[in-house]
Amino acid sequence: MGNIYKNLRKEILTTIYKAKSGHPGGSFSGVELLYTLYSEFIKFDPKNPNEENRDRVIISKGHASPLVYSILSEFGFFPKSELEHFRKFGALLQGHVSKTVPGVELSTGSLGQGLSYSCGVAIAGFLKKANFKVFCYMGDGELQEGSVWESFMTAGDRNLNNLCAIIDYNKVQENGFVKDIKNLEPLKEKLEAFGWKVFEIDGHNVEEIRSAYHNFFINKEKPVAIIANTVKGKGVSFMEFKSSWHGKAPNEEEYNKAIKELEVDI
């Protein structure tokens, strides 16, 4: 695990610990996916976050706000000092991503909304003959929502080749394993049947992530879905694959233990 990813996880954990609430599990699982996207592939201007030709990143799993805010602050959308006030009354950074935050395209709290919005933005891009791409960062649990599958159908039917769905497939949701609550498999085959080009990768392997994004950018035919197999709570042994760490802050003892694990090999 590279230092940048460990440091981001430490920052996310500290943000949640100080707020005494937040979602560490699903934030840790997407660190490599979002950092690689922002650092190497998309065009944006943090000083002008609404610039017309920017690539759009729609955060559908809005509870992963600690991850999103760490990434946005890393790339200069707002000062790192704002993380100190996460979830405080009247602060800029609230518990779910909000469009009031520079760099956030859509406020999301209820799951299953991001892909339908992303389809609309992608269609608007075609109508305007605009040269931007649309990325929708999704959780696996929200794929159990019916509106998500209507959106997959729409994107495939209209050949929205400017749209990329990034599925953070950590296989654990708030109440247990995804497969035990409403199984998604065979996910790749289902998405292909809906008219998508699908790449299935290790969502913590940066080379595989790069390859998948690269293949999306050279794609001219279909919408692309990246099924990124990840680990909920990645990097902290007692959080990994645990639904109990979906949405709670660590106590002092747990925080110190987690930080110690994340500092190994730095």
Side-chain angles (χ1 to χ4, degrees):
M1 203 188 310
N3 283 358
I4 182 62
Y5 310 116
K6 286 186 174 182
N7 287 336
L8 282 168
R9 287 187 171 92
K10 287 167 59 181
E11 183 174 75
I12 290 165
L13 189 71
T14 300
T15 298
I16 294 170
Y17 173 67
K18 289 182 176 179
K20 304 301 181 191
S21 69
H23 294 80
S27 291
F28 283 2
S29 63
V31 168
E32 287 85 357
L33 289 168
L34 284 194
Y35 184 81
T36 303
L37 181 67
Y38 276 86
S39 63
E40 300 183 31
F41 287 93
I42 63 170
K43 57 180 187 285
F44 59 87
D45 180 359
K47 295 180 180 177
N48 186 13
N50 296 318
E51 197 276 327
E52 183 61 27
N53 289 318
R54 71 192 184 282
D55 291 322
R56 273 69 166 172
V57 181
I58 314 298
I59 305 297
S60 193
K61 48 178 290 187
H63 55 276
S65 59
L67 162 64
V68 176
Y69 294 154
S70 283
I71 293 290
L72 293 178
S73 63
E74 188 74 21
F75 290 98
F77 284 89
F78 49 80
K80 287 278 185 188
S81 58
E82 291 289 346
L83 299 174
E84 296 282 330
H85 311 294
F86 176 61
R87 286 198 167 203
K88 299 292 191 303
F89 183 73
L92 175 66
L93 307 179
Q94 291 303 306
H96 285 238
V97 295
S98 168
K99 200 175 184 314
T100 58
V101 177
V104 174
E105 299 283 348
L106 176 69
S107 301
T108 51
S110 299
L111 294 171
Q113 300 175 337
L115 190 59
S116 59
Y117 182 87
S118 299
C119 284
V121 175
I123 291 170
F126 277 131
L127 294 175
K128 292 181 177 179
K129 301 186 188 322
N131 184 31
F132 62 76
K133 303 291 188 184
V134 183
F135 297 83
C136 183
Y137 176 56
M138 314 175 69
D140 47 9
E142 67 177 311
L143 267 62
Q144 297 161 338
E145 303 276 356
S147 62
V148 172
W149 291 95
E150 293 174 358
S151 305
F152 277 129
M153 187 186 300
T154 298
D157 179 67
R158 300 204 177 193
N159 296 317
L160 299 181
N161 61 11
N162 57 348
L163 174 61
C164 177
I166 306 164
I167 301 170
D168 187 343
Y169 199 8
N170 61 39
K171 304 174 185 61
V172 182
Q173 59 191 107
E174 185 171 13
N175 298 316
F177 288 100
V178 172
K179 66 180 178 60
D180 295 331
I181 295 171
K182 192 185 292 182
N183 194 9
L184 300 175
E185 295 297 336
L187 182 57
K188 183 173 186 289
E189 288 81 356
K190 288 176 181 174
L191 296 175
E192 288 174 337
F194 275 61
W196 289 62
K197 191 171 185 61
V198 183
F199 301 99
E200 187 165 9
I201 63 169
D202 176 343
H204 301 299
N205 184 313
V206 176
E207 289 306 315
E208 291 189 25
I209 294 169
R210 286 179 179 138
S211 177
Y213 287 149
H214 174 73
N215 283 324
F216 165 65
F217 274 93
I218 64 174
N219 160 69
K220 304 295 183 186
E221 300 174 357
K222 300 178 178 181
V224 164
I226 298 172
I227 301 175
N229 292 292
T230 59
V231 175
K232 191 152 188 154
K234 174 70 174 178
V236 178
S237 61
F238 61 89
M239 292 184 176
E240 291 188 353
F241 294 113
K242 299 290 196 306
S243 62
S244 59
W245 286 101
H246 175 86
K248 74 169 182 176
N251 60 31
E252 183 176 358
E253 181 182 353
E254 292 164 337
Y255 172 74
N256 290 330
K257 183 178 179 182
I259 288 293
K260 189 174 181 179
E261 288 192 18
L262 291 170
E263 287 177 339
V264 172
D265 296 329
I266 285 183

